[in-house]
Amino acid sequence: MGKYAFYPGCAAKGASKELYEATIAVSNKLNLDMVELPEFSCCGAGVLEEIKEVLDIAVNARNLAYAEREGRDIVTVCSTCLLVLRKAKYLLDNDDELREEVNEILKESGLEYKGTVDVKHFHWVLLEEFGEEGLKEKVVKPLTGLKVYPYYGCHTVRPKDIIGYEPSENPQSLEKIIRALGATPVCGERRLECCGFHAFWPAPNISMKLTGLNLKDARKESADCIVTPCPLCHMNLDANQERALKEVGENFKMPVLHVPQLVGLALGISPRELGIHRNITPVNCVQIS
Amino acid sequence: MESRKVIFRIKRFNPKKDERPYYKEYEIDVPKGMTILEALQYIKDNIDPTLAFRAFCRSAICGSCSVKINGYPKLACKTQVFNELDVYNTNILTIEPIDNMEVIRDLIVDWDSAIQKMEKMRPYLIPDPEVVPETLDEECKVYPHELKKFDKFTDCILCTTCYSACGIVRVDSNYGGPFPLARVYRFAVDPRDSLKKERAKIGFSFDMWNCVRCNKCADVCPKHIAPVDGIMKLRGLSIEIGLRNNPGARHVMAFYKSLQESGMLNEVLLPLRTKGIKGVLENLSIGIKMILKGKAHSPIMKPIKEHETLKEVMKRAMEVE
Ligand code: SF4
Ligand code: SF4
Ligand code: FES
């Protein structure tokens, strides 16, 4: 089994607390060797890059350096953190001059970036550690009959030069997880489209429109719920659902689960422990006892 | 040689004759190594001479052959059929014209809308007389460290693949789009240019802050240019020249402040810092719901362990030239 440094990211520590709770519960249940490093900072969500590229890279080289110190690969539950950390790693590993410059910045704090750890998404780790079959064996409450829309969003798949875990045109990791849990994936044409989260502040209507279209697509596929690997997509799809649907002239309720919540339910973890009660749109697609 | 039977489901439309687009299927034997473009040419030569598509160089350099293959835009001349069959685990490939532009016929789209938008953004060198000599007798040097800033953006072949994939182009008609905005950045950091960072204002008026950073443009670009990187840097330049009083720039500064204060993003203060009281009021109802669900943290956040190292790293990074 791999050794992992848990990088929850700001959303899971704040507005998406339920994601943090569910991840810890699932990781404990599956005996993953995963510890959260208290030195981890916010990755900057790609926003720091807009101030200065080297600022973004240095902040994340610091995060990577702490994980290296512990000899643990970083595991995150946020797609944007995944991309930002992987991008920093990619640039540092492929540009000697930049690595030197950044290490010069880190030196004062007694840190060094060497490039020895990888950055992974939590659901990749589930598949890598157990495989579809292995995961299936751990299921105690199969989600039989549940139609789940796998909503990837952007940063767990794109750009392939940096993410590269599976073909970005037709990823299958979420479908594999859904099937392992006994549920049925129902794929719509917008499963790889953006939810608009990162334009929420400058252009809320555009952001809400994209989210609305995605929700509509899930509805069109007769999904019972959506599952997403990204808390930011979750925020738009779940918390902002009413507003997003209004933007596209619709009105219905579509439950949206974080990946660890869906996995946890099938592993027999109590909904409370998975923070299901914190989701804004009621999760009435599964029997919650 | 290994070959596979493949069904090409091609979207057809001749605006002069057809009321609406329709799909036509062609089954052919595809040998290993055949490209999508070669398959289209084979169909045109042997089965249906009316099929229209565009291609010139067949070497991924003219940018004319971009089509959608199973929903994903790619250069037909650079894409091998077998590879696509493997990615989609199928023997049927749907070939359609790329999005966000009008279809002229079958797989050919009208690039003019994209190119005209780009032209308005003045993506050409406006020489700085202080740097560029008046006569050709003297050379105008660009040093490697200067070129590094914009080198990759000069590789663009104007294939419009990124433009066709961009979800914001689809919903915001004023949005400049990935390759035009990346081009604006390219000239903004060219030492020979006279407009320099002021070019960020062009990006601003073409809605660069509406880019959702979905990275579609980076993913589809056959030249690995990542136009989104140019857009991010153009936003940075706009902040540098003082275009700070807008939600995009204020959002950026809110992140910076949060990292300085505690090392983690202060989500509770984000609406206020980004959009002022308006931001709080606009999101009040959802904010209350979140608080009731126990989804909010205290506005005063405890700093992360070793917060000092973070502040030091940030300070030193900001000092780098
Ligand atoms: S990253 Fe921005 S420019 Fe690129 S495709 Fe997405 S919205 Fe368009
Ligand atoms: S940036 Fe890439 S995808 Fe976009 S037009 Fe240029 S070469 Fe084509
Ligand atoms: S034919 Fe020129 S790029 Fe494909």
Side-chain angles (χ1 to χ4, degrees):
Chain A
M1 177 157 309
K3 286 168 75 175
Y4 302 109
F6 180 36
Y7 185 93
C10 299
K13 294 288 257 189
S16 310
K17 252 183 205 141
E18 70 283 359
L19 172 59
Y20 186 84
E21 294 163 343
T23 309
I24 298 295
V26 168
S27 145
N28 287 345
K29 184 91 183 179
L30 295 173
N31 290 318
L32 288 177
D33 180 0
M34 194 161 92
V35 289
E36 185 182 338
L37 305 189
E39 296 90 354
F40 278 155
S41 77
C42 167
C43 70
V47 165
L48 292 182
E49 193 184 333
E50 292 165 351
I51 299 179
K52 200 172 180 182
E53 192 178 24
V54 71
L55 172 71
D56 178 325
I57 297 170
V59 163
N60 287 297
R62 175 188 171 279
N63 284 326
L64 290 159
Y66 278 114
E68 282 181 359
R69 215 177 240 193
E70 301 296 318
R72 290 172 177 271
D73 282 341
I74 291 184
V75 176
T76 175
V77 281
C78 172
S79 301
T80 293
C81 298
L82 177 83
L83 174 59
V84 172
L85 284 157
R86 277 184 84 89
K87 189 168 178 183
K89 178 175 168 58
Y90 177 88
L91 294 170
L92 288 163
D93 291 350
N94 290 292
D95 186 338
D96 294 344
E97 222 177 285
L98 177 72
R99 193 169 58 242
E100 250 171 59
E101 185 173 66
V102 167
N103 270 332
E104 201 49 47
I105 294 171
L106 295 184
K107 210 157 103 192
E108 195 78 9
S109 315
L111 292 165
E112 188 190 354
Y113 173 80
K114 298 196 193 79
T116 53
V117 296
D118 203 352
V119 182
K120 301 177 179 185
H121 204 290
F122 185 67
H123 81 276
W124 303 354
V125 169
L126 294 183
L127 286 170
E128 278 174 18
E129 290 287 352
F130 307 102
E132 208 178 319
E133 284 310 309
L135 206 54
K136 204 182 265 174
E137 281 165 24
K138 307 263 177 207
V139 169
V140 295
K141 278 192 173 175
L143 305 174
T144 318
L146 191 72
K147 285 189 274 182
V148 185
Y149 185 101
Y151 180 72
Y152 286 84
C154 300
H155 299 163
T156 2
V157 281
R158 287 188 294 268
K160 52 173 149 319
D161 290 346
I162 290 165
I163 302 293
Y165 173 73
E166 54 191 334
S168 58
E169 310 91 316
N170 187 26
Q172 290 296 313
S173 53
L174 288 180
E175 282 82 344
K176 282 185 193 157
I177 296 217
I178 292 167
R179 272 194 297 266
L181 307 180
T184 310
V186 287
C187 306
E189 57 187 23
R190 291 192 64 92
R191 80 189 166 119
L192 302 173
E193 294 301 320
C194 182
C195 72
F197 183 85
H198 289 291
F200 182 76
W201 294 107
N205 293 355
I206 287 179
S207 179
M208 288 297 95
K209 180 165 184 196
L210 296 181
T211 296
L213 291 173
N214 295 342
L215 288 162
K216 247 174 98 171
D217 195 39
R219 171 91 162 178
K220 191 175 122 217
E221 299 299 326
S222 311
D224 297 314
C225 64
I226 295 175
V227 73
T228 175
C230 178
L232 310 181
C233 299
H234 189 272
M235 239 180 266
N236 258 10
L237 292 163
D238 175 56
N240 285 321
Q241 187 170 116
E242 218 179 288
R243 190 169 162 191
L245 285 175
K246 211 181 258 171
E247 195 65 39
V248 293
E250 293 277 349
N251 180 20
F252 56 81
K253 291 215 183 315
M254 175 62 68
V256 189
L257 290 147
H258 300 281
V259 172
Q261 285 186 319
L262 193 75
V263 174
L265 286 171
L267 295 181
I269 302 170
S270 78
R272 182 121 209 132
E273 243 185 296
L274 299 167
I276 301 273
H277 58 290
R278 294 194 203 279
N279 291 31
I280 301 284
T281 307
V283 180
N284 51 10
C285 54
V286 280
Q287 220 188 337
I288 292 176
S289 47
Chain B
M1 192 197 270
E2 190 193 345
S3 75
R4 297 191 207 171
K5 276 214 180 316
V6 182
I7 296 170
F8 287 86
R9 221 179 130 249
I10 302 180
K11 194 168 189 180
R12 307 293 307 268
F13 182 50
N14 182 349
K16 290 201 184 102
K17 278 197 344 218
D18 306 324
E19 232 168 67
R20 62 179 68 87
Y22 62 98
Y23 290 87
K24 202 163 168 183
E25 289 187 359
Y26 307 89
E27 188 178 299
I28 62 170
D29 256 331
V30 175
K32 191 170 185 193
M34 189 184 233
T35 63
I36 299 282
L37 180 58
E38 285 164 339
L40 292 174
Q41 192 64 47
Y42 180 88
I43 293 167
K44 189 176 175 71
D45 291 346
N46 298 285
I47 311 175
D48 187 349
T50 67
L51 178 64
F53 53 89
R54 190 157 40 194
F56 296 107
C57 71
R58 293 180 296 158
S59 324
I61 200 69
C62 77
S64 68
C65 66
S66 186
V67 290
K68 259 189 343 180
I69 306 162
N70 280 6
Y72 205 86
K74 292 187 177 184
L75 292 183
C77 70
K78 198 181 176 224
T79 309
Q80 295 198 7
V81 178
F82 274 29
N83 187 45
E84 298 307 290
L85 299 179
D86 294 343
V87 164
Y88 293 97
N89 193 20
T90 178
N91 69 333
I92 305 172
L93 292 182
T94 302
I95 314 288
E96 299 165 297
I98 51 174
D99 291 321
N100 293 347
M101 280 158 280
E102 217 170 293
V103 175
I104 297 175
R105 189 168 150 189
D106 294 345
L107 301 174
I108 302 174
V109 298
D110 187 355
W111 290 323
D112 280 3
S113 54
I115 301 298
Q116 275 166 9
K117 204 182 271 177
M118 180 185 75
E119 277 172 10
K120 279 196 213 145
M121 296 158 81
R122 298 207 269 167
Y124 41 80
L125 192 81
I126 300 173
D128 178 351
E130 303 256 312
V131 185
V132 182
E134 260 176 47
T135 69
L136 294 175
D137 299 336
E138 281 174 75
E139 49 181 351
C140 177
K141 282 185 189 150
V142 176
Y143 293 94
H145 71 275
E146 293 171 326
L147 182 65
K148 201 176 167 192
K149 286 190 188 164
F150 62 90
D151 194 10
K152 76 169 175 175
F153 301 107
T154 65
D155 290 342
C156 175
I157 57 172
L158 291 178
C159 65
T160 70
T161 310
C162 59
Y163 190 88
S164 78
C166 175
I168 299 304
V169 167
R170 205 158 308 157
V171 295
D172 173 6
S173 58
N174 184 52
Y175 182 57
F179 76 84
L181 285 169
R183 226 161 243 257
V184 173
Y185 173 72
R186 175 244 175 282
F187 286 104
V189 288
D190 190 319
R192 298 163 299 179
D193 190 66
S194 60
L195 294 183
K196 304 216 159 51
K197 290 178 187 170
E198 290 295 307
R199 282 186 185 264
K201 289 182 182 161
I202 301 176
F204 195 82
S205 58
F206 282 85
D207 289 354
M208 67 174 170
W209 284 104
N210 288 3
C211 165
V212 279
R213 278 198 264 126
C214 70
N215 277 269
K216 265 262 180 94
C217 54
D219 201 52
V220 300
C221 174
K223 296 290 165 194
H224 304 270
I225 290 170
V228 58
D229 291 352
I231 300 172
M232 293 308 108
K233 288 181 178 134
L234 198 61
R235 289 175 173 184
L237 294 185
S238 80
I239 294 173
E240 260 184 74
I241 62 166
L243 287 175
R244 290 173 182 212
N245 199 12
N246 59 78
R250 289 177 59 159
H251 184 240
V252 171
M253 296 325 288
F255 263 84
Y256 188 80
K257 213 165 175 192
S258 283
L259 266 90
Q260 286 283 343
E261 286 164 355
S262 72
M264 295 297 272
L265 174 66
N266 194 323
E267 288 179 322
V268 175
L269 294 183
L270 194 66
L272 185 69
R273 285 177 169 170
T274 302
K275 269 190 155 173
I277 292 295
K278 194 167 168 253
V280 177
L281 293 177
E282 271 175 8
N283 294 287
L284 197 59
S285 75
I286 186 64
I288 291 171
K289 272 190 212 164
M290 291 176 104
I291 291 169
L292 293 176
K293 294 274 187 178
K295 281 161 81 80
H297 56 69
S298 151
I300 301 157
M301 293 178 75
K302 204 171 132 228
I304 55 164
K305 191 174 167 201
E306 303 292 346
H307 184 224
E308 288 311 312
T309 65
L310 177 69
K311 285 205 287 194
E312 178 67 25
V313 164
M314 289 175 76
K315 187 173 142 256
R316 299 199 55 184
M318 289 308 279
E319 284 163 4
V320 170
E321 262 304 296

